[in-house]
């Protein structure tokens, strides 16, 4: 699969070593490079990915945009710049360092020997700073001790191709530019344009080769900067930079300094993934991940919003409103069910509808958002929609008391879906009762029925203590395959008074699930794998067949802690933090599920989004779970149930948001929690 565009300027193929012995790949060679291997979209794990949606910048480690693979600067899913190739003194700078400075910006450092340099020491340092908003700064520093006239050339090109076409190996041809003001402009026959402007203006601009040329006078010890701006006709305004504060500025500090870096990186990534609802620009939600999933994904957006409630309720309200609008006009069996695409469910099950997951999440997210302090006007607006989702659930419960999957999985009853339905019923009942609506007792009765039938039909006894079936087939046959989806059976959700809803499993079954989640069959030492190592079809890189899925590991941590299984929860917390460190604290949505070994590291998954909303939100979810914050703002209370083992030692979380006001909590090395800052009138509950 060819994922590159032609490069008209011949460049010698070479490899330049970085400190530590790692070599950079060669820049683009003359003509179209060899085709990329088939088998799916190109991996971007080793690329530096800047995100400020709807802007995106994908850069190789050497910093030169060569047009290979997904390299380039994008806006709203269209590549505005595929090549930005720099030459100084007629040669390529030698790359020596690259790093992600923030979620949106990458920095590259390279060195150049001048023609008059007497020895091997380079006389000019080149620093490039590339931002996802379409801006780039190229700074040249003169360290020779004498004034220099520095010739600089930039070769620019684009194809204005859609990201999807590039990922599938079908980029369009490079377009011919025209000189436009202080830079170049490209126009696609089908519409769309790209404009690059430069400051200071170039001395020469050659449309035939896409070349901009400067001669910069740089004094001894001084620096000169060229600023580039790439846009599609007008400057980009990323949603996160023009929306005010939608997530609070939370901070972590304590014995383990990695907690602070993990939280800061997660918040930076989450803000970069914010996108506006085109029809309702005041509302924002999180895109699922970059670069593959920036379109609507209701289930992931709701999961992320739920895990981020400790940072405020506005994101949850905006996300719920956006999902609610997708229900307009639905009639018949689909009435009240959120539309959503199909998702791979692993090697033993047909694809599942993510819309069902989103439908069952809606009343749960609204109920928990109310406890964290959702404003009354938002609650009043969204409550009827939650009732519509509950009405769909009521119709979806079959005579056996369980929920069957629609679509290709018709008749299948997945354990994960029963857990979501049970939580929706209990939290929905709590919500209806608190808001003075009818039906709370009926929903508790339905939850009781789901519990009864699940324990009767899904639990498989064996000499080791038993296990939950992954699903029941349409004819009632249990599928015994063990995977990390079992963690959802422990996720009961918050109810009033700072408590957790009643569990789907009984005490002995809960204890057994906790033991299984902490076993080597599921726990890699870096997080939970999607399918146990002894199960047929296990693949450590299978999306739901063995890869580690970060947000499900976080769900397990919270569920285990709430059920009192702190040893298992502590092991997962430490493993996830160790994995985050190897990924520079930008957790991907998933990574390889190989068992941890001495001196090893988790292996990246080539198709994983990074950053990903649920992975970044999972980092927040786990850290706040260490403090065990359980609010009931309508009742004026907040309870603390910190993880007793204090896995990270002493920890302080500040800048959280409960009842719309700042909230700070400290957990001691002994696992004791103390509220340090809270809204006036909020009392510490039991």
């Amino acid at each position: 699969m060819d994922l590159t565009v032609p490069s008209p300027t011949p460049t010698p193929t070479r490899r330049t070593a970085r400190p530590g012995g790692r070599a950079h790949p060669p820049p683009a060679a003359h003509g179209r490079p060899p085709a990329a291997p088939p088998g799916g979209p190109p991996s971007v794990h080793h690329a530096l990915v800047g995100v400020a949606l709807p802007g995106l910048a994908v850069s190789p480690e050497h910093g030169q945009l060569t047009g290979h693979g997904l390299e380039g600067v994008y806006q709203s899913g269209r590549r505005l710049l595929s090549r930005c190739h720099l030459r100084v003194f007629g040669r390529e700078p030698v790359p020596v360092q690259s790093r992600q400075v923030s979620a949106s910006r990458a920095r590259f450092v390279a060195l150049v020997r001048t023609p008059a340099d007497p020895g091997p020491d380079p006389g000019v340092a080149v620093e490039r700073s590339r931002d996802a908003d379409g801006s780039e700064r190229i700074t040249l520093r003169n360290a020779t001790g004498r004034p220099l006239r520095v010739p600089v050339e930039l070769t620019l090109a684009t194809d204005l191709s859609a990201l999807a076409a590039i990922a599938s190996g079908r980029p369009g041809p490079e377009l011919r530019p025209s000189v436009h003001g202080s830079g170049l402009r490209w126009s696609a026959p089908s519409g769309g344009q790209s404009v690059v402007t430069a400051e200071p203006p170039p001395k020469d601009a050659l449309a035939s080769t896409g070349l901009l040329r400067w001669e910069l006078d740089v004094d001894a010890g001084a620096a000169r900067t060229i600023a580039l701006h790439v846009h599609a006709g007008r400057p980009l305004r990323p949603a996160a930079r023009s929306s005010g504060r939608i997530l609070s500025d939370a901070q972590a500090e304590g014995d383990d300094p990695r907690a602070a870096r993990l939280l800061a990186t997660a918040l930076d990534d989450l803000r970069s993934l914010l996108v506006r609802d085109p029809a309702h620009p005041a509302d924002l939600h999180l895109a699922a991940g970059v670069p593959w999933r920036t379109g609507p994904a209701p289930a992931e957006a709701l999961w992320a919003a739920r895990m981020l409630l400790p940072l405020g309720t506005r994101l949850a309200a905006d996300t719920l409103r956006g999902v609610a609008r997708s229900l307009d006009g639905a009639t018949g069996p689909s009435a009240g069910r959120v539309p959503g695409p199909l998702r791979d469910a692993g090697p033993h099950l047909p694809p599942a509808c993510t819309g069902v997951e989103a439908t069952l999440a809606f009343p749960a997210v609204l109920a928990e958002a109310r406890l964290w302090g959702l404003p009354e006007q938002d609650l009043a607006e969204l409550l009827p929609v939650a009732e519509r989702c509950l009405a769909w659930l009521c119709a979806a419960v079959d005579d056996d008391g369980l929920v069957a999957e629609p679509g290709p999985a018709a008749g299948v009853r997945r354990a994960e879906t029963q857990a979501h339905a049970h939580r929706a019923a209990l939290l929905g009942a709590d919500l209806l009762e608190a808001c003075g609506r009818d039906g709370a007792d009926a929903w508790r009765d339905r939850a009781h029925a789901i519990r009864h039938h699940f324990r009767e039909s899904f639990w498989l006894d064996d000499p080791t203590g038993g296990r939950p079936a992954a699903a029941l087939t349409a004819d009632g046959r249990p599928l015994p395959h063990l995977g990390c989806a079992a963690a959802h059976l422990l996720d009961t959700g918050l109810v009033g008074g700072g408590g957790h809803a009643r569990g789907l499993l009984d005490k002995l079954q809960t204890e057994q699930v906790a033991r299984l989640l902490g076993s080597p069959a599921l726990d890699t030492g870096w997080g939970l794998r999607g399918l146990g190592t002894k199960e047929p079809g296990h693949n450590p890189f299978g999306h739901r067949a063995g890869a580690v899925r970060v947000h499900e590991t976080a769900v397990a941590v919270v569920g285990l802690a709430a059920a009192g299984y702190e040893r298992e929860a502590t092991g997962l917390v430490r493993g996830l933090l160790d994995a985050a460190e190897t990924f520079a604290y930008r957790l991907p949505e998933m990574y390889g599920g190989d068992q941890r070994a001495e001196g090893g590291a988790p292996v990246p998954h080539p198709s994983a989004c990074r950053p990903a909303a649920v992975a970044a939100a999972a980092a927040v979810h786990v850290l706040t779970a260490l403090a065990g914050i359980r609010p009931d703002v309508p009742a004026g209370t907040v309870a603390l149930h910190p993880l007793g083992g204090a896995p990270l030692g002493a920890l302080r979380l500040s800048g959280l948001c409960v009842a719309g006001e700042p909230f700070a909590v400290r957990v001691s090395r002994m696992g004791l929690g103390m509220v340090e800052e809270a809204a006036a009138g909020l009392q510490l509950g039991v």
Side-chain angles (χ1 to χ4, degrees):
M1 181 170 64
D2 192 345
L3 297 174
T4 58
V5 293
S7 172
T9 306
T11 305
T13 300
R14 61 179 182 175
R15 297 183 71 85
T16 53
R18 297 190 345 175
R22 184 172 182 177
H24 282 291
H30 177 58
R32 188 177 288 271
S43 173
V44 293
H45 174 75
H46 290 294
L48 281 76
V49 180
V51 187
L53 293 180
L56 175 67
V58 182
S59 307
E61 291 180 299
H62 53 71
Q64 301 270 38
L65 295 182
T66 65
H68 282 72
L70 293 183
E71 288 177 22
V73 177
Y74 296 79
Q75 182 176 326
S76 301
R78 185 179 293 273
R79 183 156 66 180
L80 301 186
L81 194 65
S82 59
R83 282 196 295 129
C84 184
H85 192 263
L86 174 69
R87 294 173 71 86
V88 181
F89 288 110
R91 65 192 69 179
E92 289 186 28
V94 177
V96 293
Q97 186 187 71
S98 60
R99 65 187 182 96
Q100 197 79 39
V101 177
S102 68
S104 66
R105 187 160 55 93
R107 177 178 179 268
F108 310 91
V109 178
L111 303 173
V112 181
R113 289 187 68 245
T114 75
D117 286 341
D121 297 334
V124 174
V126 182
E127 179 181 321
R128 302 176 74 170
S129 177
R130 182 173 296 131
D131 197 289
D133 66 3
S135 63
E136 178 169 346
R137 292 176 64 84
I138 303 171
T139 300
L140 300 103
R141 303 184 187 279
N142 177 5
T144 63
R146 60 186 183 279
L148 289 176
R149 174 160 289 183
V150 183
V152 179
E153 295 179 347
L154 271 177
T155 303
L156 307 175
T158 191
D159 46 24
L160 286 173
S161 294
L163 175 61
I166 300 166
S168 61
R170 297 179 289 106
E174 284 190 350
L175 302 171
R176 185 181 180 90
S178 59
V179 175
H180 179 80
S182 61
L184 299 172
R185 176 181 176 179
W186 297 261
S187 298
S190 58
Q193 65 173 333
S194 175
V195 177
V196 175
T197 60
E199 177 62 38
K203 177 183 177 182
D204 298 302
L206 306 178
S208 59
T209 57
L211 183 69
L212 303 181
R213 183 183 293 135
W214 293 260
E215 288 188 0
L216 301 178
D217 291 318
V218 187
D219 292 336
R224 291 287 302 275
T225 296
I226 297 171
L228 301 178
H229 296 276
V230 186
H231 55 85
R234 61 180 180 179
L236 178 68
R237 295 186 66 199
R241 300 181 190 178
S242 57
S243 60
R245 194 182 73 169
I246 191 169
L247 296 172
S248 68
D249 297 320
Q251 293 182 318
E253 56 183 301
D255 290 344
D256 193 329
R258 298 178 300 172
R261 292 195 60 186
L262 178 61
L263 181 57
T265 303
L267 286 174
D268 198 20
D269 283 341
L270 288 163
R271 292 186 177 108
S272 77
L273 290 170
L274 287 170
V275 292
R276 294 191 180 280
D277 185 325
H280 300 82
D283 288 347
L284 293 97
H285 66 274
L286 288 164
V290 167
W292 315 119
R293 305 181 62 215
T294 59
E300 283 88 344
L302 286 170
W303 265 110
R306 182 187 178 211
M307 291 190 286
L308 295 171
L309 284 170
L311 305 182
T313 61
R314 182 190 162 189
L315 177 64
D318 283 4
T319 303
L320 288 165
R321 272 192 289 269
V323 173
R325 285 189 281 268
S326 71
L327 290 172
D328 293 344
T331 58
S334 297
R337 191 182 85 200
V338 177
L342 296 177
R343 180 185 64 201
D344 172 51
H348 305 293
L349 290 168
C353 177
T354 59
V356 171
E357 186 175 349
T359 304
L360 300 177
F362 193 104
V365 174
L366 182 59
E368 291 189 332
R370 171 184 166 271
L371 297 178
W372 284 91
L374 182 73
E376 284 294 332
Q377 62 269 27
D378 291 327
L379 180 62
E381 175 189 359
L382 295 165
L383 182 59
V385 185
E387 291 178 308
R388 291 176 63 188
C389 293
L390 290 171
W392 176 86
L393 172 57
C394 182
V397 175
D398 283 348
D399 294 339
D400 59 6
L402 300 171
V403 180
E405 302 285 333
V412 173
R413 290 150 175 80
R414 292 193 308 144
E416 190 177 340
T417 300
Q418 312 315 312
H420 297 332
H422 181 256
R423 183 179 61 243
L426 285 180
L427 271 61
D430 205 50
L431 179 66
L432 294 174
E433 185 174 75
C435 295
R437 300 293 184 109
D438 295 333
D441 289 340
W443 277 109
R444 292 190 179 101
D445 290 342
R446 292 186 185 99
H448 173 79
I450 293 173
R451 269 196 313 276
H452 171 74
H453 290 291
F454 187 91
R455 294 174 185 180
E456 290 291 322
S457 303
F458 271 82
W459 192 261
L460 307 175
D461 290 315
D462 62 35
T464 66
R467 65 167 65 183
L472 303 180
T473 62
D475 59 3
R477 179 172 53 88
L479 298 177
H481 312 296
L482 178 66
C484 74
H488 292 277
L489 305 181
L490 304 182
D491 178 18
T492 60
L494 286 175
V495 291
H500 276 271
R502 186 174 179 181
L504 182 62
L505 306 173
D506 65 28
K507 187 176 187 304
L508 291 178
Q509 291 169 344
T510 300
E511 182 178 353
Q512 178 64 1
V513 168
R515 187 186 69 80
L516 292 171
L517 291 173
S519 70
L522 289 182
D523 185 3
T524 66
W526 306 111
L528 292 177
R529 52 174 63 90
L531 189 64
T533 52
K534 298 180 181 179
E535 304 299 325
H538 170 77
N539 172 5
F541 291 96
H543 284 59
R544 295 182 182 273
V548 173
R549 301 185 64 82
V550 171
H551 94 276
E552 287 183 317
T553 300
V555 167
V557 168
V558 177
L560 288 165
Y565 297 95
E566 295 187 346
R567 181 178 63 84
E568 291 81 0
T570 293
L572 292 178
V573 169
R574 290 173 175 161
L576 199 60
L577 188 58
D578 290 344
E581 187 177 14
T582 70
F583 288 110
Y585 302 97
R586 176 180 262 188
L587 281 165
E589 62 175 327
M590 61 182 169
Y591 42 87
D594 289 321
Q595 196 66 31
R596 182 172 183 171
E598 185 69 28
V603 181
H605 192 292
S607 299
C609 286
R610 182 169 176 259
V614 290
V620 178
H621 197 43
V622 166
L623 291 175
T624 53
L626 297 179
I629 308 166
R630 301 183 189 177
D632 186 347
V633 170
T637 65
V638 59
L640 296 182
H641 293 265
L643 202 59
L648 308 184
L651 176 68
R652 182 177 187 269
L653 299 173
S654 60
L656 303 177
C657 186
V658 179
E661 298 292 337
F663 186 84
V665 62
R666 182 184 297 275
V667 180
S668 73
R669 295 185 182 94
M670 302 297 293
L672 302 176
M674 180 177 67
V675 174
E676 293 190 338
E677 183 181 17
L682 201 61
Q683 300 296 315
L684 187 62
V686 178

